Amino acid sequence: MINRLLTSSIIEKWDSNKIIVVTGPRQVGKTTLIKNICERYGDYLFINGDDASARAEFNEPSEKYLKQAIGNHKILFIDEAQRIENIGLILKIIHDQLSGVKVIASGSSALDIADKTNEPLTGRKWHYNLFPISWQELVDYSGYFETKLTLDQYLIFGTYPEIVNNMESAIMILQELTNSYLYKDLLQFKGIRKPEILDKLLLALALQVGSEVNFSELSRTIGVDRLTIEQYISLLEKTFVIFRVSPLSRNVRTEINKGRKIYFYDNGVLNAIKGNFKPLKNRKDKGALWENFLISERIKYLHYHRKFHRFYFWRTYQQQEIDWIEEFNGEFYACEFKYKQKSGQKISKTFTDNYQPSATKIISKDNLNEFLY
């Protein structure tokens, strides 16, 4: 079994008097991760929020009922907690009134679990995200050189646990994932009334990875108003399908300051939406796949290591561009992404002159560990 980096973070906080909340897309291993941790500490009560009968049995927000339901269990694991009515209030009562009960809750959607737990659990929880398996987790399991041999496969098929363990069935698994699981919470949400718009939007976003996304152009292309586009993109972010990166613009008059780039958390999902699983050597979009992979992996790295860096891209109207910039303690770190680095490639002098970054690097497949490990 591949060890998940989040395990040590959760164990570190286990004895704190706080609820642990783990969110992330479906099928990334949240249930397996949490069950393995709970089993270290003995007997636990498991509640599955996707089970209608469990929801019905466990939706009474009263101290007396919760004491009866939990019984003598000292650990309570609520899976897909956002599906349980009044979950925030239930968790608050357990935390405040039922001393000695350790609670850990998971959710595949930030749509509801954030809304339902943020206010009731203010100051009462530790919150983590779990993503598809990270580059660091793969390297820790198989070793750097062995993992690097399969790098191109991850650029095409991604790193969902079932994919990593069954690469020979990757296409079938990804088709099932994107058709049945990935958007399950999204399609149940009241804001999604036309799934066909969602399909068109996802394809449009997939085809623009690495490029700036214009919401007005998307609106005209898909045939819906801009407000709907913005709403759907926000919902896709909250269900861990995509995330956005904003431009850095502070010093140079010619900087672009209103665009945004949108990336997918997993390359396999990106390619499934495109309907393209051709080998990397036959891909015209190799650069975009490399960029999406590196940035999504860096997001995982920053989260798992609790590094609260700001991140951006940079571009001018003269087409000068930096793929990735991190800011921490007032200092900038700039990276350009090239699958194969060529001699003479450098970071934009306009950027370095104006922002004086502490470090600049070109990240290729030969030195990706410097960026992801």
Side-chain angles (χ1 to χ4, degrees), residues 8 25 32 51 60 96 107 121-122 158 171 179 188 203 213 224 231-232 238 243 265 271 286 322 337 345 361 363 372:
S8 58
T32 301
D51 187 328
E60 179 62 42
D96 293 350
L121 298 186
T122 300
I171 294 176
N179 290 333
Q188 291 173 345
L203 179 57
V213 174
V224 296
Q231 178 192 32
Y232 277 39
K238 290 176 179 177
F243 60 94
Y265 278 108
N271 283 313
K286 181 189 298 183
I322 307 290
F337 303 138
Q345 291 177 322
K361 285 186 178 180
I363 304 299
L372 301 181

Side-chain angles (χ1 to χ4, degrees), residues 33 256 315:
L33 168 75
I256 291 173
R315 189 181 175 198

Side-chain angles (χ1 to χ4, degrees), residues 9 14 41 68 134 149 179 247 250 293 336:
S9 298
W14 190 264
Y41 295 94
Q68 182 181 6
S134 72
L149 289 174
N179 290 333
R250 297 180 187 174
F293 175 78
E336 272 286 285

Side-chain angles (χ1 to χ4, degrees), residues 31-272:
T31 305
T32 301
L33 168 75
I34 297 171
K35 282 185 173 181
N36 286 339
I37 293 174
C38 289
E39 287 169 0
R40 295 185 182 205
Y41 295 94
D43 186 34
Y44 66 95
L45 176 62
F46 175 69
I47 303 295
N48 184 1
D50 272 338
D51 187 328
S53 61
R55 292 199 301 271
E57 288 292 330
F58 208 75
N59 67 355
E60 179 62 42
S62 73
E63 180 183 347
K64 180 180 179 180
Y65 182 85
L66 291 171
K67 279 184 178 179
Q68 182 181 6
I70 296 172
N72 294 323
H73 295 284
K74 297 301 181 183
I75 301 172
L76 172 64
F77 170 26
I78 306 177
D79 201 18
E80 300 302 339
Q82 80 279 354
R83 302 272 285 138
I84 295 176
E85 193 69 25
N86 298 312
I87 186 60
L89 180 57
I90 289 170
L91 294 177
K92 181 178 183 293
I93 291 172
I94 296 171
H95 177 275
D96 293 350
Q97 305 300 327
L98 307 187
S99 61
V101 177
K102 184 64 185 180
V103 182
I104 185 164
S106 76
S108 59
S109 166
L111 290 169
D112 294 321
I113 200 166
D115 293 340
K116 293 177 178 179
T117 62
N118 270 349
E119 186 174 342
L121 298 186
T122 300
R124 297 177 174 89
K125 74 176 187 298
W126 297 110
H127 186 189
Y128 303 93
N129 291 330
L130 184 68
F131 303 103
I133 294 172
S134 72
W135 175 258
Q136 183 176 348
E137 290 166 339
L138 290 169
V139 170
D140 286 346
Y141 179 75
S142 299
Y144 172 69
F145 293 105
E146 187 70 24
T147 305
K148 192 178 175 184
L149 289 174
T150 54
L151 171 62
D152 287 3
Q153 293 183 28
Y154 300 130
L155 292 175
I156 300 299
F157 300 114
T159 59
Y160 270 79
E162 192 175 0
I163 298 292
V164 172
N165 291 321
N166 300 278
M167 193 63 74
E168 67 281 357
S169 303
I171 294 176
M172 182 177 65
I173 294 169
L174 281 167
Q175 289 172 337
E176 177 69 13
L177 174 68
T178 53
N179 290 333
S180 301
Y181 292 105
L182 196 61
Y183 320 127
K184 183 175 181 180
D185 297 290
L186 191 60
L187 294 175
Q188 291 173 345
F189 188 69
K190 61 183 179 181
I192 299 297
R193 299 183 180 88
K194 296 181 179 180
E196 65 275 10
I197 293 176
L198 182 64
D199 291 338
K200 292 178 181 178
L201 175 60
L202 282 165
L203 179 57
L205 293 175
L207 294 173
Q208 294 184 56
V209 162
S211 302
E212 289 172 72
V213 174
N214 185 301
F215 286 5
S216 296
E217 288 182 4
L218 285 175
S219 172
R220 291 191 293 269
T221 299
I222 296 171
V224 296
D225 61 87
R226 180 188 169 112
L227 184 62
T228 299
I229 294 294
E230 292 179 352
Q231 178 192 32
Y232 277 39
I233 286 177
S234 177
L235 296 177
L236 285 165
E237 288 182 288
K238 290 176 179 177
T239 47
F240 305 101
V241 179
I242 62 173
F243 60 94
R244 72 180 80 188
V245 178
S246 299
L248 175 65
S249 176
R250 297 180 187 174
N251 292 326
V252 185
R253 289 177 57 190
T254 57
E255 288 173 332
I256 291 173
N257 58 17
K258 293 184 179 180
R260 77 280 291 159
K261 290 186 177 184
I262 291 178
Y263 298 93
F264 286 74
Y265 278 108
D266 184 76
N267 271 43
V269 171
L270 168 61
N271 283 313

Side-chain angles (χ1 to χ4, degrees), residues 208-215 243-252 254-263 291-292 295 298-299 302 309-327 332-337 347-348 351 355 371:
Q208 294 184 56
V209 162
S211 302
E212 289 172 72
V213 174
N214 185 301
F215 286 5
F243 60 94
R244 72 180 80 188
V245 178
S246 299
L248 175 65
S249 176
R250 297 180 187 174
N251 292 326
V252 185
T254 57
E255 288 173 332
I256 291 173
N257 58 17
K258 293 184 179 180
R260 77 280 291 159
K261 290 186 177 184
I262 291 178
Y263 298 93
E291 185 174 330
N292 191 89
I295 290 178
R298 184 64 177 176
I299 293 292
L302 293 175
H309 298 187
R310 294 180 179 274
F311 49 83
Y312 316 89
F313 71 93
W314 178 84
R315 189 181 175 198
T316 69
Y317 289 102
Q318 288 75 36
Q319 306 302 310
Q320 295 171 300
E321 187 170 8
I322 307 290
D323 292 324
W324 182 256
I325 299 161
E326 286 181 27
E327 181 184 12
F332 294 100
Y333 305 84
C335 295
E336 272 286 285
F337 303 138
I347 300 290
S348 164
F351 177 82
Y355 287 95
F371 188 62

Side-chain angles (χ1 to χ4, degrees), residues 278-296:
K278 288 181 180 179
L280 204 63
K281 63 181 180 180
N282 298 329
R283 299 290 291 260
K284 295 181 179 179
D285 57 351
K286 181 189 298 183
L289 293 178
W290 181 237
E291 185 174 330
N292 191 89
F293 175 78
L294 287 177
I295 290 178
S296 62

